[in-house]
């Protein structure tokens, strides 16, 4: 065994390399599709869906690893040292239960959105599939990364892709919404950078695990600076997660997006929520000394204000698009408020309920975004609507595939659409028997036997939770009646390709409901691990380099 | 030197924010550029200010870290410059598209009614 062969023939397909696959697969797929001519849509679509399916398989395997004790070192943390640099100095990817769950959710949303786009949306502009893959790459990277600067880089990757996707299909409305969206997010990125550099200036590290170790021992004089840095970064993430009053850009942008894009955007606010949850519990958890619980009040107040703003918005919305955007706000506001309670020491049960609610409400809002367009379709069907955007884009002469879009239109359109809409309604309003009810019930029952948080706060939160459910019910029923009962007879023509993704998403929700025992147990383990930052810290800091590991291979 | 640098960052940031809040897209984009200059200088200053110190240490033996500049903020600022340049360029494209579609350079795509 000469060292050179060790160096140049590494075990490329060793199972630990799987961790970087969620970043590499969409990256390679996206780059590959740039080589294809814009007319080879079928090939692009195939690559894109193949990549999303591969991501789904990888994320299932990673979830299994995070759940069991298959992780190296038995710490409950998977890690991947890029370039095999020692831990606090190099770039590290970290996989734990929370990130595995978010990876899975991303892949679960991506497959239906891509199938939906096959009904025609992917023809409405250039590089849709590539941008979509880069969005997935940014999302997966943000969920996996273990240091703050890479978090910034992956955020920029996903934002840059989302700028392009939001403008997909063009049109005046989208360009205007895109202009606002880009300006807001560029400003937020600058705040993010300020916070990151300030944290580096105060602590000398950007590795999240090491930060969690450094913060308790920080000199008192540096602490205000650290808090300022955390607050700056917090504003950046809260803009992304749509906390009131930083959320005014959100409803217009989400409404303007093409249906498959909006369905994927349903998880974009959750990236913000994920980072807030991850960083605040890791850096300012119970063991953070004088900084423990920093920002909890802001998160609780902001989260509750967001829920209030969201349900008022739902009640006031005229169209189902704006209503869906406000439903996104309710969901992320709830998760933010619960993160605040968890920072105050509310225990793992509340957090577990919120995680379960987060997953099911994200699936449901995504399904709703996909439903909006078929529901509000005029008699002309998708052809007329697409012609409108094609006109704006000047695509008329590029119609290549020969036959015009005549897919299989489903029978009993209104019934199926109505049933899907009803399922979304049940989840979002939190009514039995679907998973939205279970999530809300878990949060309420954890809230009832809460002793570590001031009673008015937790009762206020529970009241808001119920009120927002009621408002969702009223708002959505109004839309439902108008769309499904008061119609003039002519049912819209809906392709099977458009309704299948919605049914897939609702199937996920059903699965989540039937397997509630397993999934809630998983969420509880996740919440416990989140509330014990030592698991994350030790898991990452003790990650051994490959060169230091004893060789056990036999020639 | 500290006072000069912090004044420069302050002036850049203040002008950037003022321009960012203006109603014309061109003013917004210039504001974003100025703000990103301010942020880049700020990142740079987080590695402590040194004059004439190299960022790469000599190999082997004892090195006195105070004689060297911190290389990390320099690496960070390089990345940040590239990213903000790219996204600003993208913003410029959207801005021009908006100008072409609406015929006005107001950020809302329409002039305010007087």
């Amino acid at each position: 065994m000469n060292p050179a062969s060790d160096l140049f023939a590494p075990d490329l397909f060793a199972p630990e390399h799987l961790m970087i696959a969620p970043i590499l697969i969409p990256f390679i797929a996206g780059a590959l599709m740039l080589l294809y001519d814009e007319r080879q849509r079928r090939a692009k679509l195939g690559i894109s869906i193949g990549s999303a399916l591969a991501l789904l398989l990888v994320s299932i395997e990673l979830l299994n690893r995070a759940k069991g004790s298959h992780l190296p070192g038995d710490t409950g943390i998977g890690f991947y040292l890029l370039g095999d640099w020692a831990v606090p100095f190099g770039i590290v990817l970290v996989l734990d239960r929370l990130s595995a769950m978010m990876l899975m959710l991303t892949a679960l949303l991506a497959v239906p959105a891509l199938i939906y786009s096959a009904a025609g949306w992917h023809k409405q502009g250039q590089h849709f599939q590539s941008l979509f893959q880069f969005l997935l790459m940014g999302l997966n990277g943000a969920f996996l990364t273990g240091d703050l600067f890479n978090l910034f880089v992956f955020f920029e990757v996903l934002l840059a892709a989302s700028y392009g996707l939001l403008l997909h299909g063009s049109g005046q409305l989208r360009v205007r919404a895109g202009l606002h969206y880009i300006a807001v997010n560029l400003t937020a990125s600058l705040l993010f950078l300020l916070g990151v550099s300030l944290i580096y200036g105060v602590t000398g590290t950007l590795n999240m695990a090491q930060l969690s170790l450094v913060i308790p021992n920080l000199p008192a004089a540096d602490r205000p600076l650290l808090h300022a840095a955390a607050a700056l970064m917090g504003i950046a993430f809260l803009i992304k997660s749509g906390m009131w009053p930083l959320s005014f850009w959100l409803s217009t942008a989400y409404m303007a997006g093409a249906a498959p894009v909006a369905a994927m955007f349903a998880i974009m606010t959750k990236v913000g929520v994920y980072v807030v949850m991850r960083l605040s519990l890791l850096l300012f958890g119970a063991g953070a000394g004088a900084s423990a619980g920093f920002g909890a009040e802001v998160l609780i107040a902001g989260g509750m204000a967001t829920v209030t703003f969201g349900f008022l918005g739902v009640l006031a919305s005229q169209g189902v698009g704006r209503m869906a955007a406000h439903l996104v706000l309710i969901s992320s506001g709830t998760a933010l408020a619960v993160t605040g309670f968890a920072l105050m020491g509310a225990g793992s049960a509340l957090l577990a309920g919120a995680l379960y609610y987060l997953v099911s409400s994200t699936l449901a809002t995504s399904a709703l975004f996909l439903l909006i367009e078929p529901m509000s379709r005029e008699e002309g069907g998708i052809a007329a609507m697409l012609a409108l955007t094609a006109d704006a884009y000047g695509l008329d002469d590029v119609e290549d595939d020969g036959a015009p879009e005549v897919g299989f239109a489903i029978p009993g359109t209104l019934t199926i659409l109505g049933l899907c809409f009803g399922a979304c309604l049940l989840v979002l309003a939190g009514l039995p028997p679907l998973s939205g009810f279970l999530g809300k019930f878990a949060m309420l029952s954890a809230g009832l036997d809460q002793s570590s948080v001031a009673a008015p706060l937790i009762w206020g939160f529970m009241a808001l939770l119920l009120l927002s459910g009621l408002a969702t019910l009223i708002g959505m029923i109004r839309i439902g009646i108008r769309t499904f009962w008061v119609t003039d007879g002519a049912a819209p023509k809906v392709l099977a390709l458009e309704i299948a993704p919605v049914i897939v998403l609702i199937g996920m929700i059903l699965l989540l409901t039937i397997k509630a025992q397993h999934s809630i147990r998983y969420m509880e383990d996740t919440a416990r691990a989140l509330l014990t930052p030592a698991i994350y810290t030790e898991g990452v800091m003790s990650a051994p380099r490959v060169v230091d590991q004893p060789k056990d291979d036999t020639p | 030197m500290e006072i000069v640098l912090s004044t420069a960052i302050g002036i850049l940031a203040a002008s950037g924010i003022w321009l960012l809040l203006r109603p014309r897209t061109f003013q917004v984009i210039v504001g974003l550029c100025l703000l990103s200059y301010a942020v880049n200088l700020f990142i740079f200053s987080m590695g402590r200010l040194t004059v004439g110190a190299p960022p790469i240490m000599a190999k082997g033996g004892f090195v006195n870290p105070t004689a060297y500049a911190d290389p990390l903020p320099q690496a960070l600022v390089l990345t940040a410059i590239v990213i903000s340049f790219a996204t600003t360029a993208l913003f410029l494209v959207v801005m021009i598209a908006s100008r072409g579609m609406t015929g006005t350079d107001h950020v809302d795509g329409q002039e305010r009614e007087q």
Side-chain angles (χ1 to χ4, degrees):
Chain A
M1 296 276 292
N2 55 359
S5 80
D6 272 4
L7 198 63
F8 291 112
D11 197 358
L12 259 184
F13 296 96
E16 53 264 32
H17 289 303
L18 194 69
M19 256 192 74
I20 202 170
I23 299 172
L24 287 185
I25 292 174
F27 173 60
I28 292 171
L32 187 69
M33 282 185 293
L34 289 178
L35 301 177
Y36 279 79
D37 189 79
E38 200 54 43
R39 270 165 295 188
Q40 293 179 306
R41 296 212 179 89
R42 211 154 283 169
K44 284 191 170 197
L45 187 69
I47 296 176
S48 203
I49 289 185
S51 148
L53 286 175
L55 273 182
L56 187 60
L57 290 180
V58 169
S59 67
I60 290 173
E61 167 62 18
L62 288 178
L63 189 80
N64 271 329
R65 285 193 198 175
K67 195 165 63 176
S69 54
H70 304 297
L71 294 167
D74 289 331
T75 47
I77 296 285
F79 51 83
Y80 187 82
L81 306 177
L82 277 97
D84 201 27
W85 290 88
V87 154
F89 309 110
I91 294 172
V92 60
L93 298 184
V94 184
L95 176 83
D96 68 348
R97 285 163 181 274
L98 183 62
S99 41
M101 184 182 96
M102 297 307 282
L103 284 179
M104 177 98 168
L105 188 59
T106 312
L108 281 182
L109 293 186
V111 178
L114 281 173
I115 296 176
Y116 188 94
S117 77
W121 273 111
H122 68 300
K123 291 183 183 170
Q124 298 309 306
Q126 290 175 336
H127 299 304
F128 172 78
Q129 306 289 4
S130 291
L131 284 171
F132 198 95
Q133 294 298 321
F134 293 138
L135 178 71
L136 291 181
M137 174 194 166
L139 285 167
N140 289 341
F143 292 136
L144 279 174
T145 183
D147 74 280
L148 292 179
F149 199 75
N150 274 300
L151 188 66
F152 167 73
V153 173
F154 282 121
F155 254 88
E156 287 307 309
V157 170
L158 82 89
L159 284 175
S162 78
Y163 301 154
L165 283 176
L166 181 62
L167 296 170
H168 179 73
S170 195
Q172 193 172 329
L173 182 68
R174 292 205 178 103
V175 169
R176 200 168 66 196
L179 199 70
H180 296 176
Y181 176 72
I182 298 176
V184 167
N185 277 300
L186 282 181
T187 319
S189 302
L190 293 176
L191 286 175
F192 189 173
L193 270 179
L194 278 181
V196 167
S197 54
L198 203 50
I199 282 190
Y200 179 74
V202 175
T203 62
T205 180
L206 289 175
N207 184 300
M208 295 182 197
Q210 202 186 10
L211 267 178
S212 163
L213 290 177
V214 168
I215 283 174
N217 308 318
L218 216 58
D222 284 349
R223 216 166 271 280
L225 271 180
L226 176 83
H227 289 174
L232 280 174
M233 281 177 60
I235 292 176
F237 299 133
L238 291 174
I239 287 179
K240 263 133 210 168
S241 52
M243 187 179 89
W244 187 86
L246 308 170
S247 60
F248 294 118
W249 59 273
L250 190 138
S251 57
T252 317
Y254 277 42
M255 252 172 57
V261 174
M264 206 58 217
F265 274 23
I267 201 170
M268 296 260 297
T269 50
K270 304 304 180 290
V271 189
V273 172
Y274 162 84
V275 177
V276 168
M277 208 177 251
R278 158 80 76 219
L279 285 184
S280 55
L281 291 176
L282 189 62
L283 304 186
F284 303 116
S291 295
F294 174 74
E297 297 83 0
V298 176
L299 286 180
I300 293 174
M304 279 163 49
T306 313
V307 175
T308 315
F309 179 73
F311 84 69
L312 290 179
V314 165
L315 286 179
S317 304
Q318 292 298 316
V320 63
R322 194 169 285 279
M323 179 176 294
H326 283 101
L327 289 169
V328 169
L329 285 182
I330 293 183
S331 148
S332 62
T334 310
L336 285 176
V338 170
T339 311
F341 284 124
L343 265 184
M344 275 191 171
S348 61
L350 189 64
L351 195 56
L355 286 172
Y356 187 79
Y357 173 76
L358 187 84
V359 172
S360 51
S361 67
T362 309
L363 288 170
T365 38
S366 183
L368 189 62
F369 274 119
L370 291 182
L371 268 179
I372 290 174
E373 199 271 314
M375 264 173 57
S376 45
R377 184 172 296 165
E378 290 301 315
E379 178 53 27
I382 192 168
M385 196 269 319
L386 286 182
L388 209 67
T389 40
D391 195 32
Y393 203 76
L395 268 183
D396 326 68
D397 45 343
V398 208
E399 213 44 68
D400 51 88
D401 291 321
E405 197 62 44
V406 273
F408 171 64
I410 51 164
T413 316
L414 277 184
T415 320
I416 296 181
L417 282 182
L419 282 176
C420 293
F421 186 79
C424 292
L425 187 153
L426 288 182
V427 175
L428 290 169
L431 292 178
L434 289 183
S435 58
F437 168 73
L438 297 174
K440 282 201 174 175
F441 183 77
M443 278 191 277
L444 288 177
S445 83
L448 280 179
D449 44 56
Q450 202 54 249
S451 53
S452 47
V453 180
L457 268 183
I458 196 85
W459 282 99
F461 172 70
M462 290 195 295
L464 268 183
L465 206 58
L466 294 174
L467 255 181
S468 67
L470 183 67
T472 312
L473 190 67
I474 295 172
M476 285 185 74
I477 283 183
R478 208 179 54 203
I479 297 276
I481 289 176
R482 215 167 55 199
T483 318
F484 299 114
W485 289 355
V486 195
T487 47
D488 42 6
K493 180 166 167 285
V494 176
L495 303 181
L497 266 182
E498 293 171 294
I499 201 70
V502 178
I503 294 176
V504 169
L505 282 171
I506 287 169
M508 304 291 173
I509 293 170
L510 278 180
L511 198 67
L512 202 62
T513 315
I514 296 167
K515 293 273 176 198
Q517 196 189 359
H518 291 92
S519 37
I520 287 196
R521 193 177 297 147
Y522 182 87
M523 307 293 176
E524 274 173 357
D525 290 340
T526 311
R528 264 196 295 277
L530 275 178
L531 292 173
T532 328
I535 297 179
Y536 184 95
T537 321
E538 281 163 21
V540 175
M541 294 308 284
S542 65
R545 298 167 65 190
V546 177
V547 285
D548 297 339
Q549 276 170 359
K551 290 262 182 292
D552 57 356
D553 53 343
T554 46
Chain B
M1 189 162 68
E2 284 83 356
I3 196 79
V4 174
L5 188 71
S6 47
T7 315
I9 294 176
I11 291 174
L12 279 174
S15 340
I17 291 170
W18 189 75
L19 282 172
L20 191 64
L21 301 175
R22 304 295 302 158
R24 305 278 151 209
T25 44
F26 185 70
Q27 292 168 320
V28 170
I29 201 165
V30 173
L32 278 171
C33 285
L34 291 183
L35 258 185
S36 74
Y37 296 153
V39 170
N40 289 339
L41 284 176
F42 182 80
I43 301 175
F44 206 71
S45 69
M46 277 299 116
R48 309 293 182 267
L49 295 177
T50 46
V51 177
I56 298 171
M57 292 184 175
K59 199 176 180 184
F62 173 76
V63 282
N64 179 12
T66 54
Y68 292 90
D70 191 342
L72 195 80
Q74 305 187 0
L76 299 189
V77 86
L78 202 61
T79 319
I81 289 171
V82 173
I83 290 179
S84 63
F85 181 72
T87 44
T88 312
L90 184 73
F91 187 64
L92 191 65
V93 173
V94 178
M95 187 188 112
I96 293 171
S98 167
R99 172 75 178 79
M101 279 182 181
T102 60
T104 164
D105 62 347
H106 196 277
V107 285
D108 288 334
Q110 59 194 34
E111 297 293 332
R112 270 170 72 180
E113 284 109 36
Q114 296 300 323

